[in-house]
Amino acid sequence: MDLTAAPFLGIPEYALLWALSAVCIGLFALRIAFFVRILRLAKPESRLHHIGKRLRMVMTDVLVQPRFFDRTSAVHAIVWPVHLVIFWGFVCYAVTFGWSLVKGLVPGLPIPWPEEIPIVATLVDLFGGIVLVALAIAAFRRYALRPRGVKRTVDAGIILVLIALVMLTSLAGAAAGIAGRGEATPEAWLPFAGMLAGLFTPSGAPALQHAFWWSHMGIVLGFLAYLPYSKHFHLLASPFGVFLGQTDAIGKMRADDSAEVEGRFDLRDFTWRELLTPLACAECGRCDRACPSYNSGEALSPQDLVHGLKEHVLAAGPLLLRANGGAAALRPAMNGAFPPDAVWACATCASCMEHCPVRNEHLPLITRARRRLVSHGAVDAHLRDTLTAFARYGNSFGQSERARAKWTQGLPFRLKDARKEPVDVLWFVGDYASYDVRVQNITRAVATLFDRAGLDVGILYDAERNAGNDARRIGEEGMFEMLAEKNVAALSHCTYNRIVTTDPHSYNTLRNEYPDYGLSAPVVHHTELLLDLVRGGALRVSPLSIRATYHDPCYLGRYNGVYDAPRALLRAVGVELAEMPRNRRDGYCCGAGGGRIWMEDRPGSGERPAESRVREAVALGDVTVLVSACPKDIVMFQDALKTTGNEGALAVRDVAELVLQAAAAFAPAAQEV
Amino acid sequence: MNIVVLMKQVPDLVEELEVDAGGTLLDRAWLRFITSEYDDHALEQALLLKEQHGGTVRVLALDMGEADEMLFTALAKGADSAVKLSGDFATGIDSHSAAGIYRHALEGASFDLILTGVQAIDDLDGPAGAMLATHLGLPYIGVVSGIDVDTANGEAHVRKEYPGGLLAEFTVDLPAVIGIQAAMQPPRYVPISRIRQTMKTASIDETAAQGERIAGAISVERMYKPERAGSATMLEGSADSIAERLLDILTEHGIGR
Ligand code: SF4
Ligand code: SF4
């Protein structure tokens, strides 16, 4: 059977197929070339290290797609199997389509049609049917259930219909084939086509089969042409996006590479990987749903930021290419793509990146926009005061550096001055732990525990500066560098083996970013160190009987994967742990990160992230303590307890406080705390 | 529109202030300096006017405290030149003498406007701008929180805020000296990298301060911390014993019978 041998209106059908393919593939190629040229305009970025890790990311996130599994709600969880079926159906259909196309373009080619091979025919049939079911579920979810953050764009509708048509024409063609053969039992097992075969009469079937084949080929070719002009381009771009995804710790930010081109902020100021992000975006809304600022009704939607950049690429890209990168008239307003309100609303919690199924990277985009704003001095008054305080006093509190170690006053023992004597462990205390009166008792609890355990520990006293983690994420790169240089200089005069810190934000930058500034010592969080001390027997505890829930600080959990140590420590002191629905990588940010804690409070229309979190803990019903391991959390949650009226229902504690409580029985008589 | 801004350093209140052994000055050992807030506003107002009308901004400062840092920051924010007037200012300077020094520095110079903070926390005195205006024969207006310049007519319209929510607008002929209470926008933030860059690429002009120190014009007799004025006594104990004590005290002070 040769489907394209006969002439149609006097022209051989294969010639028509050649013409149609040339047009569609041409349109496709044109668009791809456009994107490639845009990416070539952008800045370089190296993404070819860690090849093994990259291949593993492709294996999981392209082939299995676990990031689609959203366990927080059924309406989102269902998407995983649905998408996986559609994806694999697509792969199957892409292969058979290519095969059919070649065979159709070259009549008489001595290979069979794919459907002539029973196993292939069965696969095509099965996928066709299952994909149709999956499409029905997807459409029902999108249009009937209408979950938040899932957009009902024209694009989305067109694509659902197109895929359905691809499957239907294929199934109908196979069904007509069965009808034409007049056999009750075809040689291949075709359950879905078999169901449809009854619709056709044996006499009319061959002509219909031919027509369905043509419509199938036409629709797929049309799809191919349409694909790169739609959100479905993610199908092509996202496997590259995943392969070229971030393999370094997400807590390690790239240094500021902005060129000294005054007044310019356009696509050339992004790296090619940053511009690949909007191309790979499937507009699935996962980043929005995971975003604390979005959920609080603030001006930020990470999805919109990514989409805005895409629109900018489409609008400004052709201009840039035509102007060959130089025309002065070309100053596309990037602020349209990155509204300052949105850019500042980000708490840098990395939840969007963690949940993006195509491994898109939102934070580098946000930082780039922030750096731009900071370079113009466009920061709000509170933030300006905080940055000025960083510059003058090295802390966000605007207090003298001489007051940094004031919290040690009243400790019944002396904490070593690491600047003056060698220590085993150097304790980098952090700003909030040092200066905030609401947190100082926790800091003293940690000191007491270290002392009880006989740890050889010291602090930097006046020489410690804010580590700069948040300054960097505000976009004040120069401030980060200055603070890092000062801290590294102070540390270089000390003798120590490792660093412990009570501050997850400091932990992140000390561990991931300071090595670039010359720090080589290992860095641990106080929960990790305390766990060692308890397990090693240096710190004796008697079990508490408390039921509590643990909140993962973003910079400890998502940023550095420290999920287990705090939980193990809590269990080791007899705390019975109940998990909140959003835990570990789904942990919900308190809203303080990325400098948010110092910005003017511009509450959104919804409840604040910390309030949402406190309510989540209260809703567990049977826990009395919300435990965290980050000073900023403590401050945020204590406020949220008051604003939600839950002061009586829940206490907010640091892990260390519970450990100290458990160690109370073994306190030396002179040291009742 | 060429604007001169006079800026100075004042003690930073983030540190405890101590009076030195002489009893008339702050103890310099613990003192640290910060740019006077009002002068920061004067600079901001000057930069805003420059953005609007073009021209230059020139900053003058006496060599006190962290003058270099202050001047480099001003340059990084957009000032065109910075002048440091060096001299012996270790024990501070009164506003009469400062006005005299600025007069020498500015006589014969060409400018349209001189802006300075209306006062500073270390003297709460405020007349430096007014005295400088007198020396130079220019008009002065202080406590200003808004300026519009009319270059065509060579005048400025300035606003002052009065208590009770009243605003008044004045017209002043240029050149003039204006004491700034607040700029029309909060002082801008300048990123550290720009300040560092400025320190590498720009320079501060340094000239010796001239003009007599006016001895005894104003001198501090005594500087001290307020003495505690009395204290309260808390009565504790049972209600009966407190009542008894209270009665005793009242009787003691001749109240009651
Ligand atoms: S980092 Fe967090 S706050 Fe920022 S956009 Fe992503 S999810 Fe939202
Ligand atoms: S950026 Fe990622 S998570 Fe967000 S909409 Fe696009 S594909 Fe989905």
Side-chain angles (χ1 to χ4, degrees), chain B residues 7-110:
Chain B
M7 296 183 77
K8 79 180 231 184
Q9 292 267 294
V10 295
D12 187 344
L13 301 182
V14 78
E15 304 292 351
E16 278 293 299
L17 297 179
E18 295 296 338
V19 178
D20 77 356
T24 61
L25 289 173
L26 288 176
D27 186 347
R28 304 250 140 192
W30 292 107
L31 215 51
R32 101 193 244 181
F33 287 90
I34 187 168
T35 301
S36 172
E37 190 190 337
Y38 300 103
D39 291 346
D40 233 357
H41 277 267
L43 173 65
E44 182 61 34
Q45 185 60 63
L47 295 171
L48 291 173
L49 289 174
K50 177 186 156 184
E51 277 162 16
Q52 228 180 327
H53 301 285
T56 60
V57 171
R58 185 175 183 77
V59 182
L60 258 63
L62 304 182
D63 186 9
M64 286 162 62
E66 311 290 336
D68 283 10
E69 197 187 305
M70 173 174 75
L71 291 173
F72 277 122
T73 304
L75 288 170
K77 283 183 176 181
D80 300 275
S81 59
V83 182
K84 183 168 73 174
L85 298 164
S86 54
D88 177 18
F89 305 117
T91 55
I93 181 170
D94 65 87
S95 42
H96 292 246
S97 305
I101 291 173
Y102 284 130
R103 168 201 192 159
H104 274 274
L106 290 169
E107 248 168 3
S110 96

Side-chain angles (χ1 to χ4, degrees), chain A residues 117-130:
Chain A
I117 300 167
I119 176 74
V120 177
T122 300
L123 266 178
V124 168
D125 183 86
L126 285 178
F127 268 120
I130 302 171

Side-chain angles (χ1 to χ4, degrees), chain A residues 280-288 303 306 352 355-358 360 362:
Chain A
C281 175
E283 297 175 28
C284 72
R286 277 181 180 67
C287 48
D288 278 356
Q303 174 175 211
V306 170
C352 47
H355 289 91
C356 176
V358 303
N360 265 344
H362 310 70

Side-chain angles (χ1 to χ4, degrees), chain A residues 323-388:
Chain A
N324 207 14
L330 198 132
R331 200 160 290 163
M334 236 344 151
N335 275 0
F338 293 105
D341 277 358
V343 165
W344 287 124
C346 173
T348 67
C349 71
S351 187
C352 47
M353 291 174 57
E354 183 75 34
H355 289 91
C356 176
V358 303
R359 285 188 173 265
N360 265 344
E361 295 162 25
H362 310 70
L363 279 170
L365 301 177
I366 290 172
T367 313
R368 201 170 275 292
R370 283 184 167 191
R371 283 177 178 162
R372 197 73 200 173
L373 290 167
V374 168
S375 79
H376 291 294
V379 297
D380 79 31
H382 287 227
L383 197 53
R384 184 199 60 216
D385 292 347
T386 305
L387 290 172
T388 311

Side-chain angles (χ1 to χ4, degrees), chain A residues 452-474:
Chain A
R452 296 260 182 88
L455 194 72
D456 179 18
V457 62
I459 63 174
L460 286 172
Y461 284 86
D462 307 2
E464 185 183 306
R465 294 286 175 276
N466 181 288
N469 185 73
D470 295 14
R472 191 170 212 195
R473 277 140 191 93
I474 285 166

